[in-house]
């Protein structure tokens, strides 16, 4: 096990570069992750509406689970006693857990925060909870994912400059406490070694991003995440901030953009040097009856699909496209049949996985720019 | 194609008998069905919460779909134009459609009936519809199942003797009209030949059952169903009526009991000479968070399951039992996660399919009585 300051440091190798875009391999104890890589979100211990074995068939390499939700229901200790998150979810590949911070701050009306901790009320029963950096690490240790995250303060896109500045300050101090807490157990969780990632904040303010990255890299993490984006800010500013932050982060470390999953957006962050990303978008979009296709989004509720014998996407290998007509899927969606959600979820994840795989191949072949231009043409 | 009065007559061979119980084979154009056989219900064109390929893996041989629902949503003509029910549902094995009669009469407060037709309001939008025997056949021809049913009048368990008598009369006259309507298209539907079944009514009144069977066998059908039971009557009377009706039906013809799916009940109707049966019970029970097990029903909502590492059933080959703990499944059920419904649905169908397969093996081996006694002991 390679270590960094006594903490697990899973090897990350960059195989090819094309402009700022990179094709790499992260070697986790539960298998290699080829990057760029999209991570589906398994909010409460399941990627909604798809079984784990099917995720494998789709080509998913790593999944994300939410500490906020699992810590409250069924409780991290319950997951630990049931054998840890891999056994609990029946996913033997790598898992990443977030710190819970994002959910705590999304419910900010009920959150009280100071340097020591953040106090919030559970969305499940209104009960009061106190999260500290140490508790965020402890919850993630109990859950037992392979990759865990520091507790950060993520302000909304509408935050004032001073609020964003304060968030950078606090996130930096909390990152240090998280690393220390993790070192106390030698970086081990319920189920083996855990790699801890620091999260850069700073909104869309270049000097605050510089400050945040400088503070985090001073502390030193095995890899880094770009947080605090796609929270309501302007898209151009989001992309510029991504490019800047990625360029400031250590070249040889994995970069994780937190919270992007639209086909256009993830190609753009790959172009700016991001390696992994996650989002509920593809699975949530599916449950709303919409399919990703290379001709754009397809809303199955549209009556024009009623008599369509076409598949969602011509050469797609997913279960939906290997036989179900758009008309049949529209019927399932209109009747709120679970199979409709299952089929669209698998399709959207297949679409994104194939898109990211194609992006990787383009990077390796040194033709990423033309790949990206080609996507503009098909409006995906 | 073997014909009976010009209508398709799929060969049914009885391989073994043990008491009144039979092990047989029905040879449909879409594959053989080994009997006894449980048919899961795909109400609106999907067995809820399970994909067709998974049904195959479970060992399901034939599925049922509801004409009432499909005729109203998306409409039988839509299904026909999308290539018929097999293409629509992505199920290439045999399919049976009911006539719609059961649903029409379950909503009897809004149903007006005379010899010509039954008028009812759609549960979807309150619109008025008129079903005739001819229309019930036409809807099923458009849908294109392999086995279709005559329109019958199914009175509730609380019906008076005169109501039950009237239902036998009307069902007999309608059966004749259905057969005639089917002969006009030489027994073909959207997707190939269709075998039409007559349905015996008569409540739990022996002389009315005799009358009903006599009338139906006079008309002559390739196979027969026992309808009008499990509608609220006493269980002992239901079983006695099943035994009587089965004994009156032609020995060499398939017998279908409409609407039984509890583990105990289906073994009892097999014991009385029934070959196939259907029910929403296993799939509906699953969606309510309950698993069939050989130790009885297991309600996953029970807090006693929170920390249980056990599978639902020790040697069960289903996805749920091949790794998921009761604790994890309980969490999914409590959080209303779709995966919980998927796992329990697959488990309950696996449980019933294995139970019926074991019953068949016991009949073939001439040890059905001890098999049945053994089940009493494990309280399944």
């Amino acid at each position: 096990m390679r270590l960094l300051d006594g903490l697990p440091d899973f090897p990350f190798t960059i195989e090819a570069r094309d402009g700022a875009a990179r094709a790499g391999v992260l070697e986790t104890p539960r298998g290699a992750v080829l990057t760029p890589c999209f991570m589906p979100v398994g909010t409460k211990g399941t990627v909604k509406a798809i079984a784990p074995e099917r995720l494998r068939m789709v080509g998913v390499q790593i999944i994300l689970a939410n500490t906020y939700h699992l810590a409250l229901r069924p409780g991290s200790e319950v997951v630990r006693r049931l054998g840890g998150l891999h056994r609990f979810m029946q996913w033997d590949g790598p898992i990443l857990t977030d710190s819970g911070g994002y959910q705590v701050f999304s419910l900010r009306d009920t959150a009280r925060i100071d340097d020591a901790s953040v106090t919030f009320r559970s969305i499940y029963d209104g009960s009061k909870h106190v999260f500290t950096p140490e508790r965020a690490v402890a919850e993630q240790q109990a859950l037992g994912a392979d990759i865990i995250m520091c507790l950060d303060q993520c302000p909304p896109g509408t935050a004032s400059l001073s609020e964003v500045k304060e968030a950078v300050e606090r996130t930096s101090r909390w990152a240090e406490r998280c690393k220390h807490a993790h070192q106390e157990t030698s970086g081990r969780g319920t189920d083996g070694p855990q790699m801890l990632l620091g999260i850069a904040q700073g909104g869309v303010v270049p000097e605050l991003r510089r400050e945040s990255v400088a503070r985090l890299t001073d502390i030193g993490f095995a890899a880094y995440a770009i947080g605090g984006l796609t929270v309501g800010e302007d898209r151009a500013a989001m992309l510029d901030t991504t490019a800047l932050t990625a360029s400031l982060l250590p070249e040889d470390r994995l970069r994780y953009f937190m919270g992007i999953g639209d086909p256009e957006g993830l190609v753009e962050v790959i172009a700016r040097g991001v390696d992994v990303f996650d989002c509920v978008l593809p699975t949530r979009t599916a449950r709303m009856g919409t399919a990703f296709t290379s001709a754009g989004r397809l809303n199955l509720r549209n009556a024009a699909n009623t008599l369509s014998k076409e598949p969602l996407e011509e050469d797609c290998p997913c279960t939906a496209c290997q036989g179900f007509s758009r008309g049949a899927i529209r019927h399932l969606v209109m009747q709120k049949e679970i199979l409709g959600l299952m089929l669209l979820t698998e399709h959207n994840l297949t679409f994104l996985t194939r898109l990211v795989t194609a992006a990787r191949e383009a990077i390796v072949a040194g033709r990423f720019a033309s790949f990206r231009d080609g996507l503009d043409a098909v409006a995906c």
Side-chain angles (χ1 to χ4, degrees), chain A:
Chain A
M1 173 65 55
R2 204 172 74 172
L3 297 175
L4 175 75
D5 301 339
L7 291 180
D9 177 17
F10 304 156
F12 177 61
T13 314
I14 296 174
E15 293 185 342
R17 287 183 175 79
D18 190 353
R22 307 120 63 93
V25 185
L26 177 72
E27 284 163 59
T28 83
R30 286 193 170 79
V33 176
L34 302 185
T35 65
C37 171
F38 175 75
M39 305 185 286
V41 179
T43 312
K44 302 183 184 182
T46 160
V47 179
K48 289 187 195 295
I50 187 164
E53 53 155 25
R54 180 57 59 184
L55 286 171
R56 274 268 175 237
M57 291 186 219
V58 163
V60 166
Q61 304 179 79
I62 170 171
I63 58 183
L64 185 145
N66 290 132
T67 295
Y68 176 93
H69 292 288
L70 291 169
L72 295 173
R73 296 285 184 282
S76 306
E77 181 59 15
V78 171
V79 174
R80 189 190 66 75
R81 288 176 66 182
L82 288 171
L85 203 46
H86 294 88
R87 165 102 166 78
F88 187 77
M89 296 181 72
Q90 281 296 293
W91 175 258
D92 60 6
I95 301 175
L96 181 152
T97 43
D98 62 8
S99 68
Y102 182 81
Q103 281 74 22
V104 166
F105 291 105
S106 316
L107 309 169
R108 68 197 320 262
D109 286 346
T110 58
R112 215 177 50 224
I113 182 170
D114 58 32
D115 260 18
S117 65
V118 50
T119 304
F120 62 96
R121 290 195 179 278
S122 159
I123 58 158
Y124 293 98
D125 59 6
S127 58
K128 205 156 91 174
H129 294 265
V130 178
F131 252 46
T132 59
E134 292 76 15
R135 178 163 171 204
V137 169
E139 296 281 357
Q140 293 182 83
Q141 285 170 339
L143 291 171
D146 308 281
I147 304 177
I148 67 175
M149 305 297 296
C150 288
L151 184 66
D152 63 330
Q153 181 178 355
C154 178
T158 53
S160 68
L161 183 64
S162 68
E163 287 174 307
V164 178
K165 199 173 159 65
E166 185 185 277
V168 167
E169 264 303 313
R170 186 163 288 138
T171 296
S172 305
R173 286 194 297 268
W174 284 0
E176 199 156 2
R177 285 167 61 187
C178 284
K179 183 171 175 181
H180 184 69
H182 199 39
Q183 282 168 323
E184 288 194 344
T185 61
S186 306
R188 291 192 68 85
T190 288
D191 225 6
Q194 299 183 300
M195 182 164 83
L196 175 68
L197 269 62
I199 304 173
Q201 287 290 341
V204 293
V205 186
E207 56 265 46
L208 292 181
R209 285 283 162 184
R210 283 182 210 282
E211 163 81 9
S212 185
V213 170
R215 297 279 295 270
L216 288 176
T217 49
D218 263 6
I219 302 167
F221 289 95
Y224 298 87
I226 304 174
L229 291 177
T230 59
V231 290
E233 76 286 354
D234 174 74
R235 184 139 176 129
M238 179 274 280
L239 291 175
D240 288 349
T241 305
T242 304
L244 172 69
T245 314
S247 73
L248 297 168
L249 288 168
E251 173 60 24
D252 59 340
R253 297 284 166 184
L254 183 83
R255 299 167 188 159
Y256 164 26
F257 185 109
M258 304 182 80
I260 196 161
D262 64 295
E264 310 81 355
L266 57 84
V267 172
E268 291 308 310
V269 302
I270 291 171
R272 286 160 178 81
V274 165
D275 304 306
V276 298
F277 23 77
D278 75 286
C279 195
V280 296
L281 187 82
T283 46
R284 184 172 289 167
T285 299
R287 296 198 307 285
M288 294 169 75
T290 294
F292 290 155
T293 80
S294 52
R297 310 218 179 165
L298 177 72
N299 182 347
L300 274 303
R301 296 180 172 275
N302 191 318
N305 297 304
T306 306
L307 289 170
S308 172
K309 287 183 159 183
E310 275 182 85
L312 299 175
E313 172 92 357
E314 204 47 71
D315 63 348
C316 174
C318 82
T319 304
C321 294
Q322 288 305 300
F324 285 91
S325 60
R326 291 184 181 189
I329 299 171
R330 172 181 146 78
H331 165 70
L332 296 172
V333 167
M334 295 303 287
Q335 293 305 312
K336 300 185 172 61
E337 283 287 351
I338 291 168
L339 181 60
L341 311 180
M342 292 164 64
L343 292 174
L344 286 172
T345 297
E346 183 186 335
H347 173 77
N348 282 357
L349 290 177
T350 302
F351 182 87
L352 276 198
T353 301
R354 293 174 82 213
L355 178 68
V356 175
T357 302
R360 187 179 204 278
E361 286 165 5
I363 295 164
V364 171
R367 52 173 176 74
F368 184 70
S370 66
F371 167 80
R372 192 178 158 196
D373 290 346
L375 290 181
D376 288 346
V378 298
C380 94

